[in-house]
Amino acid sequence: MTVPRATYRLQLNQHFTFADAKALVPYLNALGISHAYLSPILKAQPGSTHGYDTVDHTQINPELGTLDDFRALAHVLKQHGMGIILDFVPNHMGVGGADNTLWLDVLKHGSASQYADWFDIDWNAARPGMQGKILVPFLGESYAEALVTGSLRLKPDGDGFAVWAYDTHKLPIRDEDAAKLSLDAIAAHTGIPGNAESWSALDALIANQHWRIAHFTVASDEINYRRFFINSELAGIRIERPEVFDHAHSLIFALIGEGHVDGLRIDHVDGLLDPTAYLQTLRARSPRPIYLAVEKILAPHEQLRAEWPVEGTTGYEVGAMLTRVLVRPEAEHKLSTAYADFIGPVTSPAEEEFRCKLRIMDNELSAELTTLTRQVAAIAWSSKFTADLTEAALRRALREIIAHLSVYRTYADEKGMSPRDHREIALAIAKALLTRPHTPAAVFDFVAALLCGNLPPAYDVAAITAAIGRFQQYTGPVMAKGLEDTALYRYNRLVALNEVGAHPDRFSTSIAAFHDSNRRRLKTHPHSMLATSTHDTKHGEDLRAIIAAIGDEPQIWHAATRAWQAMLPPHAIAASDLYLLLQLMLGGWLINGDLTNFANRLKAAMTKSAREARQHSDWAVINAEYEGKVSDLIDDLLANPEFLASFHSVHEPLVAIGRRKALIQLGLKLTMPGVPDIYRGAEDWEQSFVDPDNRRSLDFTRLAKALAAPFEGRDDKMILTQTLLQLRRRLPSLFSEGNYEAIDLGPDLLAFRRTHNGDSLTLVADLSRGHTSSLPIQRASPATTIYGSAAGPLWIGMS
């Protein structure tokens, strides 16, 4: 197995192809990268900007290039001593549109399709008339309106016919119905605007199909196939079925076998029915040993499963830790006070998370909870001892337990439930009993026995296994949408802490805890990825570092925000949203940037934030008036000389502190145990907002020129990145195998030493408040300076 020394994440799409990546190889080599870490390369929906909507596992995405183009990229990388890590999606496929032939076959033939069991579909939906049908919630208007307006049209399709929605979504007609149609009959079924008879004919034809087309909001209550979170255009596949596994991995395994791919990043591993079995199968079936990292979001108290045969995670938890070790712990009370003073009464992060998870289950993920409840109720009703338990009571109990669960999911399988998972379920049930005191204890007792595998043998084992699997695949989306995509947009005390894989109530990390984490990673997963920015992060790494600087000067920030609040018209937007906006402006302000472009990016980020928070706007019910007020406020702030003068008087000292923090963060990532990943462009200052802002086009020509410039003409961040990546290239064993020794230099200095076979690297970082002091380098190690000086925030030496 080839273990990466350092990876560089590239986001491939029609505007950045294999050819573009190939042209970038000399730059990556000069930087010191060992592996290009590519976003998904299999055929995706046309125009996909991310590649996670795979429609054909057997083809390379033609928008990225050909298979030969991919091989050419791999060849050039090999010529430079580099390799490829691929992002792979085993949980779901892109559906809708007209390009997923597997999905289209299921729409045409229903449960009789040879691919019907490849997708996770409930063919017995409760709604009358939905037996044997799939809900297709892709309309932007009601079904009736789509008929009337002609948004639904019948067209010839090869040897048959299909209904098209908006000329985008293909809905094949059953063979038995197509046989009765002819080109002459199409006019009667095309939904011609103004022709009521044609609407009736088309409606009658659609009623006979294996699919039901509906408005997109219907999915929340009635979706009957497993999705990726709440995205109806990403349908879950049953990768646990051998034929699905073989099909999905055929091309990827071929590329591994040819030597073009050294490793895989497994997307959303928690979405799989049995992650352990999948990873074991992947290891066993791979044509040769590969590096394997999983996208797994760990709770603060959770460790990666020891039984998973992987090198580690993709590093979300590392990014959260690095942010928190830079935040001053004594600032927590002051910033909490400042936040409450600005917005009024504050809901605690834990309570906000709990409420948001309940809200998600009552709305966007309601249909999935209904399906789970029906499964659990059927088991309860199969025995006279639990036949009195009602579906409504079971739903309330499940809802409450899931809202209290502190991890993304548990992992019970045919071997049972581990003690740690049992504790998680028991704790969630104990909390649920307190918040649902009027639900009979017998309901919780039954659910507990079911989830922990303790029901008597009289109950159907297969049904229990299916229900547990459904429960475990459901809790992750609830946590993701409730915490990451709702609560983190509501609680804005210090948004540098609001990140994927992080909890905003964990304000800071001690130096001792930082060392403990590194020692543990070195012992259990020494090649786990280290990430500070990804395509999923809500704030770029340097934007977070600058916002974290608020913790160094909380009084200045408190006074400034109140002064800025007084400059604005009262109640223009919600105070919490304004507090978020001010932090994003602070962290995202570009020294040499286009102000109009900055304003547009900021507006897009605030619009998404408002919809994700689901308080003043929403993806399903957009409040255009409120979003317009936010947009107008941004324009007003950027055109207000009084505000800008005040803002920059605060911004300048805080950005100076933040940039020092950013260099410390980078230095730690590139020297601590693990495999560091550089997100595209983050070798320069990364101040992106939430996606899609962090996937916008980059000027790699500018970056290459900057990298080639003399040291005195380059930015500190790029110098530090190249210096340490080149050092990792020169001394790979020091970083991959070297031990880790914490050095105690007092409460404000973080220091450690890595040693291996006579080589020694020492790092000292000054975490003290505000301006840096002189670093006690001699106390740390009498070494040759690699980077920094005694007067700077970071010093790294070798001996």
Side-chain angles (χ1 to χ4, degrees), residues 363-671:
N363 294 276
E364 289 87 346
L365 288 171
S366 176
E368 287 85 351
L369 181 57
T370 297
T371 300
L372 172 62
T373 304
R374 286 173 57 201
Q375 287 182 277
V376 172
I379 297 169
W381 298 341
S382 69
S383 168
K384 61 180 177 293
F385 295 104
T386 49
D388 286 348
L389 301 182
T390 67
E391 185 173 323
L394 289 167
R395 183 187 181 96
R396 289 193 293 269
L398 287 166
R399 173 180 177 271
E400 207 74 9
I401 292 167
I402 293 168
H404 282 296
L405 196 65
S406 63
V407 292
Y408 275 70
R409 67 166 282 175
T410 51
Y411 300 91
D413 55 23
E414 71 279 357
K415 298 176 183 177
M417 176 172 280
S418 68
R420 62 190 271 188
D421 285 337
H422 191 280
R423 287 193 298 271
E424 293 292 350
I425 294 294
L427 180 60
I429 291 175
K431 292 179 178 178
L433 283 166
L434 294 176
T435 52
R436 272 284 179 184
H438 301 298
T439 299
V443 179
F444 286 104
D445 291 342
F446 173 77
V447 174
L450 168 67
L451 295 178
C452 296
N454 295 329
L455 285 178
Y459 291 90
D460 186 293
V461 174
I464 292 171
T465 301
I468 292 174
R470 180 72 62 176
F471 173 85
Q472 294 182 151
Q473 286 180 295
Y474 179 61
T475 60
V478 172
M479 176 71 87
K481 299 308 297 182
L483 172 61
E484 291 175 33
D485 293 342
T486 308
L488 292 191
Y489 289 94
R490 292 185 178 185
Y491 185 79
N492 295 318
R493 176 181 61 177
L494 187 67
V495 297
L497 307 179
N498 294 14
E499 199 48 83
V500 178
H503 286 244
D505 57 341
R506 301 291 179 111
F507 190 81
S508 63
T509 295
S510 68
I511 292 176
F514 173 84
H515 290 314
D516 285 344
S517 176
N518 286 332
R519 283 189 286 256
R520 184 169 55 248
R521 187 184 318 105
L522 182 60
K523 181 179 179 180
T524 63
H525 296 91
H527 307 308
S528 188
M529 274 191 170
L530 310 175
T532 44
S533 290
T534 75
H535 62 284
D536 281 328
T537 43
K538 300 182 185 303
H539 310 105
E541 60 193 57
D542 300 315
L543 182 147
R544 293 199 308 274
I546 294 168
I547 293 176
I550 292 172
D552 286 44
E553 300 289 354
Q555 295 93 337
I556 292 177
W557 177 253
H558 187 188
T561 54
R562 291 313 305 266
W564 298 337
Q565 191 177 35
M567 294 178 188
L568 305 175
H571 309 300
I573 64 173
S576 182
D577 286 346
L578 176 57
Y579 208 70
L580 167 64
L581 171 60
L582 295 173
Q583 290 178 75
L584 293 184
M585 287 186 65
L586 177 77
W589 192 278
L590 300 175
I591 295 176
N592 297 311
D594 180 348
L595 194 59
T596 300
N597 182 52
F598 175 71
N600 291 334
R601 291 175 50 227
L602 190 57
K603 290 175 184 178
M606 286 300 298
T607 296
K608 179 169 182 174
S609 299
R611 294 179 186 178
E612 296 282 46
R614 296 170 169 84
Q615 290 177 306
H616 306 291
S617 192
D618 198 319
W619 293 105
V621 184
I622 294 172
N623 186 338
E625 180 182 2
Y626 184 79
E627 293 178 5
K629 288 181 180 180
V630 175
S631 179
D632 291 343
L633 177 59
I634 292 171
D635 288 333
D636 291 343
L637 290 176
L638 296 179
N640 185 327
E642 180 188 10
F643 167 77
L644 290 178
S646 176
F647 174 78
H648 287 301
S649 70
V650 174
H651 175 262
E652 289 177 10
L654 289 182
V655 81
I657 296 171
R659 289 195 162 212
R660 287 195 290 270
K661 290 181 183 292
L663 292 175
I664 293 173
Q665 175 177 249
L666 177 63
L668 295 175
K669 182 178 79 169
L670 295 181
T671 55

Side-chain angles (χ1 to χ4, degrees), residues 172-372:
I173 295 299
R174 300 187 310 163
D175 287 336
E176 52 267 48
D177 294 321
K180 301 172 186 180
L181 297 172
S182 66
L183 291 176
D184 294 336
I186 291 179
H189 295 81
T190 52
I192 301 171
N195 187 332
E197 183 178 343
S198 74
W199 309 335
S200 177
L202 182 57
D203 180 40
L205 179 67
I206 289 174
N208 289 331
Q209 305 313 309
H210 295 295
W211 43 264
R212 172 193 165 209
I213 186 75
H215 189 265
F216 73 92
T217 57
V218 175
S220 297
D221 296 318
E222 298 188 11
I223 196 76
N224 64 333
Y225 59 87
R226 183 171 61 86
R227 302 175 288 174
F228 173 72
F229 297 166
I230 62 173
N231 190 332
S232 299
E233 296 187 4
L234 296 175
I237 58 174
R238 302 180 65 186
I239 202 72
E240 67 274 9
R241 297 180 66 89
E243 65 273 26
V244 181
F245 183 97
D246 292 344
H247 175 86
H249 294 82
S250 58
L251 179 54
I252 292 296
F253 279 173
L255 295 175
I256 292 173
E258 291 175 11
H260 298 313
V261 176
D262 289 333
L264 297 177
R265 175 231 194 231
I266 303 302
D267 181 66
H268 189 42
V269 72
D270 275 348
L272 307 182
L273 182 64
D274 189 344
T276 304
Y278 168 77
L279 294 168
Q280 290 171 341
T281 303
L282 184 62
R283 278 287 190 209
R285 298 287 302 279
S286 177
R288 62 187 180 89
I290 56 171
Y291 175 84
L292 203 54
V294 290
E295 187 205 26
K296 164 63 186 167
I297 299 175
L298 298 165
H301 64 283
E302 186 181 15
Q303 301 300 318
L304 186 62
R305 300 270 152 167
E307 65 270 24
W308 286 5
V310 299
E311 273 57 64
T313 72
T314 53
Y316 295 136
E317 72 283 355
V318 175
M321 178 181 67
L322 287 172
T323 296
R324 280 157 175 75
V325 82
L326 298 172
V327 175
R328 303 292 299 172
E330 61 270 21
E332 181 170 11
H333 175 72
K334 294 175 182 178
L335 286 180
S336 296
T337 300
Y339 185 44
D341 187 43
F342 193 94
I343 75 163
V346 176
T347 303
S348 72
E351 178 64 22
E352 195 72 84
E353 176 187 337
F354 174 68
R355 292 180 184 179
C356 290
K357 288 165 77 173
L358 291 177
R359 187 224 173 276
I360 287 293
M361 285 187 282
D362 290 341
N363 294 276
E364 289 87 346
L365 288 171
S366 176
E368 287 85 351
L369 181 57
T370 297
T371 300
L372 172 62

Side-chain angles (χ1 to χ4, degrees), residues 45-46 96-101 104 107 136 138-143 145-173 181 186 189-192 202 205-206 209 211 213-214:
Q45 294 282 28
D99 293 272
N100 188 331
T101 57
L104 294 175
L107 292 181
V136 187
F138 299 147
L139 292 178
E141 57 199 318
S142 73
Y143 172 64
E145 289 172 323
L147 285 173
V148 171
T149 60
S151 298
L152 295 171
R153 290 182 177 274
L154 182 68
K155 299 181 181 180
D157 178 53
D159 295 331
F161 293 86
V163 172
W164 286 76
Y166 310 114
D167 293 323
T168 299
H169 299 291
K170 180 180 176 181
L171 304 163
I173 295 299
L181 297 172
I186 291 179
H189 295 81
T190 52
I192 301 171
L202 182 57
L205 179 67
I206 289 174
Q209 305 313 309
W211 43 264
I213 186 75

